[in-house]
PDB file of all heavy atoms in Angstrom:
ATOM      1  N   ALA A   6     -90.636 -32.851 108.349  1.00 93.00           N
ATOM      2  CA  ALA A   6     -90.339 -31.796 107.381  1.00 93.00           C
ATOM      3  C   ALA A   6     -91.002 -30.474 107.779  1.00 93.00           C
ATOM      4  O   ALA A   6     -90.380 -29.417 107.708  1.00 93.00           O
ATOM      5  CB  ALA A   6     -90.802 -32.211 105.997  1.00 93.00           C
ATOM      6  N   ALA A   7     -92.242 -30.531 108.227  1.00 93.00           N
ATOM      7  CA  ALA A   7     -92.954 -29.317 108.629  1.00 93.00           C
ATOM      8  C   ALA A   7     -92.284 -28.672 109.848  1.00 93.00           C
ATOM      9  O   ALA A   7     -92.082 -27.450 109.885  1.00 93.00           O
ATOM     10  CB  ALA A   7     -94.421 -29.644 108.933  1.00 93.00           C
ATOM     11  N   LEU A   8     -91.920 -29.478 110.841  1.00 92.00           N
ATOM     12  CA  LEU A   8     -91.288 -28.921 112.043  1.00 92.00           C
ATOM     13  C   LEU A   8     -89.902 -28.386 111.743  1.00 92.00           C
ATOM     14  O   LEU A   8     -89.510 -27.326 112.241  1.00 92.00           O
ATOM     15  CB  LEU A   8     -91.262 -29.972 113.148  1.00 92.00           C
ATOM     16  CG  LEU A   8     -92.633 -30.433 113.640  1.00 92.00           C
ATOM     17  CD1 LEU A   8     -92.492 -31.548 114.672  1.00 92.00           C
ATOM     18  CD2 LEU A   8     -93.428 -29.269 114.204  1.00 92.00           C
ATOM     19  N   ARG A   9     -89.149 -29.092 110.893  1.00 93.00           N
ATOM     20  CA  ARG A   9     -87.817 -28.579 110.503  1.00 93.00           C
ATOM     21  C   ARG A   9     -87.918 -27.302 109.708  1.00 93.00           C
ATOM     22  O   ARG A   9     -87.042 -26.463 109.747  1.00 93.00           O
ATOM     23  CB  ARG A   9     -87.071 -29.631 109.700  1.00 93.00           C
ATOM     24  CG  ARG A   9     -86.546 -30.766 110.541  1.00 93.00           C
ATOM     25  CD  ARG A   9     -85.770 -31.755 109.724  1.00 93.00           C
ATOM     26  NE  ARG A   9     -85.267 -32.801 110.579  1.00 93.00           N
ATOM     27  CZ  ARG A   9     -85.134 -34.060 110.231  1.00 93.00           C
ATOM     28  NH1 ARG A   9     -85.435 -34.434 108.986  1.00 93.00           N
ATOM     29  NH2 ARG A   9     -84.663 -34.956 111.072  1.00 93.00           N
ATOM     30  N   ALA A  10     -89.019 -27.135 108.984  1.00 95.00           N
ATOM     31  CA  ALA A  10     -89.225 -25.917 108.198  1.00 95.00           C
ATOM     32  C   ALA A  10     -89.618 -24.728 109.073  1.00 95.00           C
ATOM     33  O   ALA A  10     -89.597 -23.599 108.606  1.00 95.00           O
ATOM     34  CB  ALA A  10     -90.299 -26.146 107.142  1.00 95.00           C
ATOM     35  N   GLY A  11     -89.941 -24.995 110.314  1.00 94.00           N
ATOM     36  CA  GLY A  11     -90.267 -23.901 111.238  1.00 94.00           C
ATOM     37  C   GLY A  11     -91.702 -23.861 111.723  1.00 94.00           C
ATOM     38  O   GLY A  11     -92.098 -22.909 112.391  1.00 94.00           O
ATOM     39  N   ALA A  12     -92.493 -24.876 111.422  1.00 94.00           N
ATOM     40  CA  ALA A  12     -93.880 -24.905 111.879  1.00 94.00           C
ATOM     41  C   ALA A  12     -93.934 -24.942 113.408  1.00 94.00           C
ATOM     42  O   ALA A  12     -93.128 -25.613 114.054  1.00 94.00           O
ATOM     43  CB  ALA A  12     -94.618 -26.107 111.310  1.00 94.00           C
ATOM     44  N   ALA A  13     -94.886 -24.219 113.949  1.00 94.00           N
ATOM     45  CA  ALA A  13     -95.088 -24.201 115.411  1.00 94.00           C
ATOM     46  C   ALA A  13     -95.935 -25.386 115.847  1.00 94.00           C
ATOM     47  O   ALA A  13     -95.997 -25.691 117.034  1.00 94.00           O
ATOM     48  CB  ALA A  13     -95.775 -22.902 115.832  1.00 94.00           C
ATOM     49  N   GLY A  14     -96.566 -26.039 114.903  1.00 93.00           N
ATOM     50  CA  GLY A  14     -97.401 -27.160 115.272  1.00 93.00           C
ATOM     51  C   GLY A  14     -97.884 -27.940 114.077  1.00 93.00           C
ATOM     52  O   GLY A  14     -97.711 -27.530 112.931  1.00 93.00           O
ATOM     53  N   PHE A  15     -98.508 -29.071 114.380  1.00 93.00           N
ATOM     54  CA  PHE A  15     -98.947 -29.989 113.357  1.00 93.00           C
ATOM     55  C   PHE A  15    -100.221 -30.668 113.841  1.00 93.00           C
ATOM     56  O   PHE A  15    -100.203 -31.384 114.838  1.00 93.00           O
ATOM     57  CB  PHE A  15     -97.860 -31.046 113.115  1.00 93.00           C
ATOM     58  CG  PHE A  15     -98.097 -31.911 111.934  1.00 93.00           C
ATOM     59  CD1 PHE A  15     -97.514 -31.610 110.717  1.00 93.00           C
ATOM     60  CD2 PHE A  15     -98.893 -33.041 112.029  1.00 93.00           C
ATOM     61  CE1 PHE A  15     -97.718 -32.419 109.607  1.00 93.00           C
ATOM     62  CE2 PHE A  15     -99.100 -33.858 110.930  1.00 93.00           C
ATOM     63  CZ  PHE A  15     -98.518 -33.550 109.721  1.00 93.00           C
ATOM     64  N   LEU A  16    -101.336 -30.384 113.174  1.00 94.00           N
ATOM     65  CA  LEU A  16    -102.611 -30.975 113.521  1.00 94.00           C
ATOM     66  C   LEU A  16    -103.245 -31.614 112.296  1.00 94.00           C
ATOM     67  O   LEU A  16    -102.941 -31.224 111.159  1.00 94.00           O
ATOM     68  CB  LEU A  16    -103.593 -29.934 114.067  1.00 94.00           C
ATOM     69  CG  LEU A  16    -103.361 -29.433 115.486  1.00 94.00           C
ATOM     70  CD1 LEU A  16    -104.424 -28.407 115.840  1.00 94.00           C
ATOM     71  CD2 LEU A  16    -103.376 -30.561 116.482  1.00 94.00           C
ATOM     72  N   LEU A  17    -104.143 -32.536 112.538  1.00 93.00           N
ATOM     73  CA  LEU A  17    -104.856 -33.168 111.453  1.00 93.00           C
ATOM     74  C   LEU A  17    -106.193 -32.477 111.232  1.00 93.00           C
ATOM     75  O   LEU A  17    -106.790 -31.931 112.156  1.00 93.00           O
ATOM     76  CB  LEU A  17    -105.079 -34.639 111.794  1.00 93.00           C
ATOM     77  CG  LEU A  17    -103.779 -35.426 112.020  1.00 93.00           C
ATOM     78  CD1 LEU A  17    -104.092 -36.839 112.499  1.00 93.00           C
ATOM     79  CD2 LEU A  17    -102.934 -35.441 110.775  1.00 93.00           C
ATOM     80  N   LYS A  18    -106.663 -32.554 109.981  1.00 93.00           N
ATOM     81  CA  LYS A  18    -107.904 -31.862 109.623  1.00 93.00           C
ATOM     82  C   LYS A  18    -109.120 -32.436 110.344  1.00 93.00           C
ATOM     83  O   LYS A  18    -110.138 -31.765 110.436  1.00 93.00           O
ATOM     84  CB  LYS A  18    -108.118 -31.880 108.127  1.00 93.00           C
ATOM     85  CG  LYS A  18    -107.192 -30.938 107.402  1.00 93.00           C
ATOM     86  CD  LYS A  18    -107.507 -30.864 105.930  1.00 93.00           C
ATOM     87  CE  LYS A  18    -106.584 -29.871 105.253  1.00 93.00           C
ATOM     88  NZ  LYS A  18    -106.878 -29.754 103.817  1.00 93.00           N
ATOM     89  N   ASN A  19    -109.006 -33.635 110.878  1.00 93.00           N
ATOM     90  CA  ASN A  19    -110.137 -34.196 111.615  1.00 93.00           C
ATOM     91  C   ASN A  19    -110.113 -33.810 113.097  1.00 93.00           C
ATOM     92  O   ASN A  19    -110.869 -34.340 113.895  1.00 93.00           O
ATOM     93  CB  ASN A  19    -110.206 -35.718 111.448  1.00 93.00           C
ATOM     94  CG  ASN A  19    -109.012 -36.425 112.073  1.00 93.00           C
ATOM     95  OD1 ASN A  19    -108.074 -35.818 112.558  1.00 93.00           O
ATOM     96  ND2 ASN A  19    -109.059 -37.761 112.028  1.00 93.00           N
ATOM     97  N   SER A  20    -109.247 -32.864 113.471  1.00 93.00           N
ATOM     98  CA  SER A  20    -109.182 -32.389 114.853  1.00 93.00           C
ATOM     99  C   SER A  20    -110.496 -31.710 115.223  1.00 93.00           C
ATOM    100  O   SER A  20    -111.122 -31.048 114.389  1.00 93.00           O
ATOM    101  CB  SER A  20    -108.032 -31.391 115.028  1.00 93.00           C
ATOM    102  OG  SER A  20    -106.807 -31.985 114.762  1.00 93.00           O
ATOM    103  N   HIS A  21    -110.884 -31.864 116.453  1.00 94.00           N
ATOM    104  CA  HIS A  21    -112.108 -31.226 116.955  1.00 94.00           C
ATOM    105  C   HIS A  21    -111.905 -29.702 116.915  1.00 94.00           C
ATOM    106  O   HIS A  21    -110.799 -29.206 117.166  1.00 94.00           O
ATOM    107  CB  HIS A  21    -112.362 -31.688 118.393  1.00 94.00           C
ATOM    108  CG  HIS A  21    -113.690 -31.273 118.915  1.00 94.00           C
ATOM    109  ND1 HIS A  21    -113.899 -30.034 119.478  1.00 94.00           N
ATOM    110  CD2 HIS A  21    -114.886 -31.912 118.926  1.00 94.00           C
ATOM    111  CE1 HIS A  21    -115.167 -29.944 119.835  1.00 94.00           C
ATOM    112  NE2 HIS A  21    -115.790 -31.075 119.517  1.00 94.00           N
ATOM    113  N   PRO A  22    -112.934 -28.947 116.588  1.00 94.00           N
ATOM    114  CA  PRO A  22    -112.807 -27.477 116.534  1.00 94.00           C
ATOM    115  C   PRO A  22    -112.245 -26.858 117.814  1.00 94.00           C
ATOM    116  O   PRO A  22    -111.463 -25.902 117.749  1.00 94.00           O
ATOM    117  CB  PRO A  22    -114.243 -27.000 116.278  1.00 94.00           C
ATOM    118  CG  PRO A  22    -114.890 -28.141 115.557  1.00 94.00           C
ATOM    119  CD  PRO A  22    -114.274 -29.397 116.166  1.00 94.00           C
ATOM    120  N   ASP A  23    -112.602 -27.406 118.982  1.00 95.00           N
ATOM    121  CA  ASP A  23    -112.054 -26.880 120.232  1.00 95.00           C
ATOM    122  C   ASP A  23    -110.540 -27.114 120.307  1.00 95.00           C
ATOM    123  O   ASP A  23    -109.795 -26.257 120.782  1.00 95.00           O
ATOM    124  CB  ASP A  23    -112.718 -27.530 121.437  1.00 95.00           C
ATOM    125  CG  ASP A  23    -114.168 -27.109 121.609  1.00 95.00           C
ATOM    126  OD1 ASP A  23    -114.552 -26.049 121.055  1.00 95.00           O
ATOM    127  OD2 ASP A  23    -114.917 -27.836 122.296  1.00 95.00           O
ATOM    128  N   GLN A  24    -110.100 -28.280 119.828  1.00 93.00           N
ATOM    129  CA  GLN A  24    -108.673 -28.579 119.827  1.00 93.00           C
ATOM    130  C   GLN A  24    -107.936 -27.643 118.873  1.00 93.00           C
ATOM    131  O   GLN A  24    -106.850 -27.161 119.183  1.00 93.00           O
ATOM    132  CB  GLN A  24    -108.451 -30.031 119.402  1.00 93.00           C
ATOM    133  CG  GLN A  24    -106.989 -30.470 119.456  1.00 93.00           C
ATOM    134  CD  GLN A  24    -106.799 -31.881 118.965  1.00 93.00           C
ATOM    135  OE1 GLN A  24    -107.620 -32.427 118.217  1.00 93.00           O
ATOM    136  NE2 GLN A  24    -105.714 -32.504 119.385  1.00 93.00           N
ATOM    137  N   LEU A  25    -108.543 -27.375 117.734  1.00 94.00           N
ATOM    138  CA  LEU A  25    -107.941 -26.457 116.772  1.00 94.00           C
ATOM    139  C   LEU A  25    -107.827 -25.049 117.359  1.00 94.00           C
ATOM    140  O   LEU A  25    -106.789 -24.398 117.254  1.00 94.00           O
ATOM    141  CB  LEU A  25    -108.752 -26.438 115.473  1.00 94.00           C
ATOM    142  CG  LEU A  25    -108.244 -25.529 114.365  1.00 94.00           C
ATOM    143  CD1 LEU A  25    -106.806 -25.829 113.998  1.00 94.00           C
ATOM    144  CD2 LEU A  25    -109.150 -25.640 113.153  1.00 94.00           C
ATOM    145  N   ALA A  26    -108.895 -24.580 118.001  1.00 95.00           N
ATOM    146  CA  ALA A  26    -108.866 -23.237 118.616  1.00 95.00           C
ATOM    147  C   ALA A  26    -107.792 -23.167 119.706  1.00 95.00           C
ATOM    148  O   ALA A  26    -107.045 -22.182 119.793  1.00 95.00           O
ATOM    149  CB  ALA A  26    -110.235 -22.911 119.196  1.00 95.00           C
ATOM    150  N   GLN A  27    -107.692 -24.209 120.530  1.00 95.00           N
ATOM    151  CA  GLN A  27    -106.670 -24.237 121.573  1.00 95.00           C
ATOM    152  C   GLN A  27    -105.267 -24.247 120.954  1.00 95.00           C
ATOM    153  O   GLN A  27    -104.357 -23.575 121.445  1.00 95.00           O
ATOM    154  CB  GLN A  27    -106.885 -25.451 122.463  1.00 95.00           C
ATOM    155  CG  GLN A  27    -105.898 -25.547 123.607  1.00 95.00           C
ATOM    156  CD  GLN A  27    -106.143 -26.769 124.467  1.00 95.00           C
ATOM    157  OE1 GLN A  27    -107.016 -27.590 124.188  1.00 95.00           O
ATOM    158  NE2 GLN A  27    -105.371 -26.899 125.525  1.00 95.00           N
ATOM    159  N   ALA A  28    -105.094 -24.991 119.872  1.00 94.00           N
ATOM    160  CA  ALA A  28    -103.788 -25.071 119.198  1.00 94.00           C
ATOM    161  C   ALA A  28    -103.392 -23.720 118.618  1.00 94.00           C
ATOM    162  O   ALA A  28    -102.233 -23.326 118.691  1.00 94.00           O
ATOM    163  CB  ALA A  28    -103.824 -26.141 118.104  1.00 94.00           C
ATOM    164  N   ILE A  29    -104.341 -23.010 118.047  1.00 94.00           N
ATOM    165  CA  ILE A  29    -104.050 -21.685 117.495  1.00 94.00           C
ATOM    166  C   ILE A  29    -103.595 -20.741 118.613  1.00 94.00           C
ATOM    167  O   ILE A  29    -102.612 -20.027 118.464  1.00 94.00           O
ATOM    168  CB  ILE A  29    -105.291 -21.120 116.751  1.00 94.00           C
ATOM    169  CG1 ILE A  29    -105.530 -21.930 115.479  1.00 94.00           C
ATOM    170  CG2 ILE A  29    -105.105 -19.636 116.437  1.00 94.00           C
ATOM    171  CD1 ILE A  29    -106.868 -21.667 114.822  1.00 94.00           C
ATOM    172  N   ARG A  30    -104.302 -20.762 119.734  1.00 94.00           N
ATOM    173  CA  ARG A  30    -103.902 -19.915 120.872  1.00 94.00           C
ATOM    174  C   ARG A  30    -102.518 -20.292 121.386  1.00 94.00           C
ATOM    175  O   ARG A  30    -101.693 -19.433 121.667  1.00 94.00           O
ATOM    176  CB  ARG A  30    -104.927 -20.007 121.997  1.00 94.00           C
ATOM    177  CG  ARG A  30    -106.222 -19.260 121.702  1.00 94.00           C
ATOM    178  CD  ARG A  30    -107.117 -19.169 122.934  1.00 94.00           C
ATOM    179  NE  ARG A  30    -107.633 -20.464 123.345  1.00 94.00           N
ATOM    180  CZ  ARG A  30    -108.730 -21.027 122.870  1.00 94.00           C
ATOM    181  NH1 ARG A  30    -109.454 -20.401 121.946  1.00 94.00           N
ATOM    182  NH2 ARG A  30    -109.128 -22.213 123.308  1.00 94.00           N
ATOM    183  N   ALA A  31    -102.258 -21.584 121.492  1.00 94.00           N
ATOM    184  CA  ALA A  31    -100.955 -22.046 121.974  1.00 94.00           C
ATOM    185  C   ALA A  31     -99.835 -21.633 121.015  1.00 94.00           C
ATOM    186  O   ALA A  31     -98.788 -21.118 121.454  1.00 94.00           O
ATOM    187  CB  ALA A  31    -100.955 -23.566 122.157  1.00 94.00           C
ATOM    188  N   ALA A  32    -100.026 -21.838 119.728  1.00 93.00           N
ATOM    189  CA  ALA A  32     -99.006 -21.468 118.745  1.00 93.00           C
ATOM    190  C   ALA A  32     -98.780 -19.954 118.750  1.00 93.00           C
ATOM    191  O   ALA A  32     -97.649 -19.491 118.695  1.00 93.00           O
ATOM    192  CB  ALA A  32     -99.395 -21.946 117.360  1.00 93.00           C
ATOM    193  N   ALA A  33     -99.861 -19.192 118.847  1.00 92.00           N
ATOM    194  CA  ALA A  33     -99.722 -17.729 118.881  1.00 92.00           C
ATOM    195  C   ALA A  33     -98.965 -17.289 120.129  1.00 92.00           C
ATOM    196  O   ALA A  33     -98.260 -16.274 120.094  1.00 92.00           O
ATOM    197  CB  ALA A  33    -101.106 -17.079 118.857  1.00 92.00           C
ATOM    198  N   GLY A  34     -99.055 -18.064 121.183  1.00 93.00           N
ATOM    199  CA  GLY A  34     -98.326 -17.743 122.407  1.00 93.00           C
ATOM    200  C   GLY A  34     -96.915 -18.291 122.456  1.00 93.00           C
ATOM    201  O   GLY A  34     -96.234 -18.202 123.472  1.00 93.00           O
ATOM    202  N   GLY A  35     -96.468 -18.891 121.356  1.00 92.00           N
ATOM    203  CA  GLY A  35     -95.094 -19.384 121.294  1.00 92.00           C
ATOM    204  C   GLY A  35     -94.901 -20.840 121.689  1.00 92.00           C
ATOM    205  O   GLY A  35     -93.784 -21.326 121.765  1.00 92.00           O
ATOM    206  N   GLU A  36     -95.991 -21.542 121.936  1.00 93.00           N
ATOM    207  CA  GLU A  36     -95.902 -22.946 122.317  1.00 93.00           C
ATOM    208  C   GLU A  36     -95.903 -23.844 121.076  1.00 93.00           C
ATOM    209  O   GLU A  36     -96.343 -23.438 120.011  1.00 93.00           O
ATOM    210  CB  GLU A  36     -97.089 -23.328 123.210  1.00 93.00           C
ATOM    211  CG  GLU A  36     -97.137 -22.565 124.512  1.00 93.00           C
ATOM    212  CD  GLU A  36     -95.962 -22.854 125.417  1.00 93.00           C
ATOM    213  OE1 GLU A  36     -95.491 -24.012 125.433  1.00 93.00           O
ATOM    214  OE2 GLU A  36     -95.507 -21.933 126.090  1.00 93.00           O
ATOM    215  N   ALA A  37     -95.450 -25.053 121.251  1.00 92.00           N
ATOM    216  CA  ALA A  37     -95.484 -26.047 120.192  1.00 92.00           C
ATOM    217  C   ALA A  37     -96.720 -26.920 120.360  1.00 92.00           C
ATOM    218  O   ALA A  37     -97.135 -27.186 121.490  1.00 92.00           O
ATOM    219  CB  ALA A  37     -94.230 -26.915 120.231  1.00 92.00           C
ATOM    220  N   VAL A  38     -97.287 -27.352 119.255  1.00 93.00           N
ATOM    221  CA  VAL A  38     -98.519 -28.140 119.290  1.00 93.00           C
ATOM    222  C   VAL A  38     -98.400 -29.315 118.346  1.00 93.00           C
ATOM    223  O   VAL A  38     -97.983 -29.149 117.198  1.00 93.00           O
ATOM    224  CB  VAL A  38     -99.735 -27.276 118.856  1.00 93.00           C
ATOM    225  CG1 VAL A  38    -101.016 -28.075 118.908  1.00 93.00           C
ATOM    226  CG2 VAL A  38     -99.840 -26.019 119.691  1.00 93.00           C
ATOM    227  N   LEU A  39     -98.762 -30.498 118.828  1.00 92.00           N
ATOM    228  CA  LEU A  39     -98.767 -31.687 117.971  1.00 92.00           C
ATOM    229  C   LEU A  39    -100.083 -32.436 118.156  1.00 92.00           C
ATOM    230  O   LEU A  39    -100.618 -32.481 119.274  1.00 92.00           O
ATOM    231  CB  LEU A  39     -97.621 -32.634 118.315  1.00 92.00           C
ATOM    232  CG  LEU A  39     -96.210 -32.135 118.043  1.00 92.00           C
ATOM    233  CD1 LEU A  39     -95.200 -33.128 118.564  1.00 92.00           C
ATOM    234  CD2 LEU A  39     -96.012 -31.888 116.564  1.00 92.00           C
ATOM    235  N   ALA A  40    -100.564 -33.034 117.089  1.00 92.00           N
ATOM    236  CA  ALA A  40    -101.740 -33.883 117.182  1.00 92.00           C
ATOM    237  C   ALA A  40    -101.432 -35.013 118.158  1.00 92.00           C
ATOM    238  O   ALA A  40    -100.302 -35.494 118.223  1.00 92.00           O
ATOM    239  CB  ALA A  40    -102.074 -34.450 115.815  1.00 92.00           C
ATOM    240  N   PRO A  41    -102.409 -35.437 118.962  1.00 89.00           N
ATOM    241  CA  PRO A  41    -102.151 -36.506 119.931  1.00 89.00           C
ATOM    242  C   PRO A  41    -101.533 -37.757 119.318  1.00 89.00           C
ATOM    243  O   PRO A  41    -100.628 -38.356 119.904  1.00 89.00           O
ATOM    244  CB  PRO A  41    -103.542 -36.789 120.508  1.00 89.00           C
ATOM    245  CG  PRO A  41    -104.261 -35.496 120.371  1.00 89.00           C
ATOM    246  CD  PRO A  41    -103.769 -34.906 119.073  1.00 89.00           C
ATOM    247  N   SER A  42    -101.965 -38.158 118.144  1.00 89.00           N
ATOM    248  CA  SER A  42    -101.400 -39.351 117.507  1.00 89.00           C
ATOM    249  C   SER A  42     -99.929 -39.153 117.139  1.00 89.00           C
ATOM    250  O   SER A  42     -99.115 -40.072 117.239  1.00 89.00           O
ATOM    251  CB  SER A  42    -102.200 -39.744 116.274  1.00 89.00           C
ATOM    252  OG  SER A  42    -102.227 -38.682 115.338  1.00 89.00           O
TER     253      SER A  42
END
């Protein structure tokens, strides 16, 4: 539902802060991001 709505990515709140920062940069650059699971 989130991806169909237009989300650039989907992460879980238990993601490591470094992973979150990398995901923000990737999404801002137009990339798609998904939690490893």
Side-chain angles (χ1 to χ4, degrees):
L8 296 176
R9 285 182 179 146
F15 190 96
L16 285 180
L17 301 174
K18 286 186 178 181
N19 65 355
S20 298
H21 189 275
D23 291 340
Q24 184 183 23
L25 180 56
Q27 182 180 3
I29 291 168
R30 286 190 293 274
E36 298 296 324
V38 181
L39 294 175
S42 58

